[in-house]
Amino acid sequence: MNIIVTKDYKELSKKACEYIEEQVKGKPNSVLGLATGSTPLGTYQELEEGYRSGSADYQDVYSLNLDEYVGLDKIDPQSYHFFMNKHLFHSINIDPDHTYIPNGKASDLAYECERYEQLIEEIGPPDLQLLGIGQNGHIGFNEPGTSFDSETHIIDLSASTREANARFFNSIEEVPHQAVTMGIKSILKSKKIVLLASGEEKAEAIKRLLRGEQDESFPASALNKHDHVTLIVDEPAYKQAKL
Ligand SMILES: O=P(O)(O)OC[C@H]1O[C@](O)(CO)[C@@H](O)[C@@H]1O
């Protein structure tokens, strides 16, 4: 694993932006695997600024998002569709028809999972997959215990994930109990992976990841199986790993 330690979140976001821009400049029709959550917000802001100043062009880019809450409509402000439109897609010149996110409102969710996995085969796999990490080591919405062989599936969200994500909702009761997520195997199909971790609350997870184990009780440890992972981590998230 290639590790880049940055002074702070701002520098982390700039580094992640540089990686994505390099990818898109080198291959204008790149497939980007994209993530939600707080961590990539700074990266998306940098991408927007880069696009406005002409440093990258997204007209031929495709994107595949990791996950979506079950039961939320695409126009629901808490949905990941809404998040991506608001924080990235509306700010750059990506073709909306080239952006893919699982449909959490599909009437047949099992079929939706199959359809999305098929899409990953047809459009992807991503040339570059951006990832965040949960405090319990989740990647995408793959909770501890998820098989490393999993493809896109429905996951029951853990109490800790629902609590952590309640900050985006009016109350914890509103946080969905399930999500559609790319599986660990689906994520590992990506050619390159860039994992972002910022802040002290991620320090334990980063320390465990860097022990190098591969253990299904800690989903992010599957990344230790992949040959092209870059971890971009700020000092507060990295400091435990140094001890
Ligand atoms: O970046 P955050 O908000 O800490 O979230 C970490 C992870 O949790 C999720 O938001 C899901 O709970 C992921 O999408 C993200 O990678």
Side-chain angles (χ1 to χ4, degrees), residues 36-40 67 80 132-134 138 140-141 161 165 167-168 202:
T36 51
S38 306
T39 312
D67 46 18
Y80 285 168
I133 182 169
H138 72 240
F141 262 132
T161 296
N165 288 5
R167 67 189 191 279
F168 297 111
K202 301 293 170 68

Side-chain angles (χ1 to χ4, degrees), residues 16 49 52 105 154 178 187 189 223:
E49 284 168 24
R52 290 192 195 289
K105 279 284 264 187
I154 306 297
Q178 290 187 310
I187 292 172
K189 287 177 186 168
L223 300 174

Side-chain angles (χ1 to χ4, degrees), residues 158-168 172 175:
S158 68
S160 66
T161 296
R162 291 186 65 249
E163 272 160 31
N165 288 5
R167 67 189 191 279
F168 297 111
I172 188 149
V175 184

Side-chain angles (χ1 to χ4, degrees), residues 206-219:
I206 293 305
K207 183 178 183 179
R208 185 162 175 193
L209 171 70
L210 295 179
R211 287 210 299 251
E213 65 186 10
Q214 293 177 26
D215 185 333
E216 289 182 352
S217 69
F218 189 70

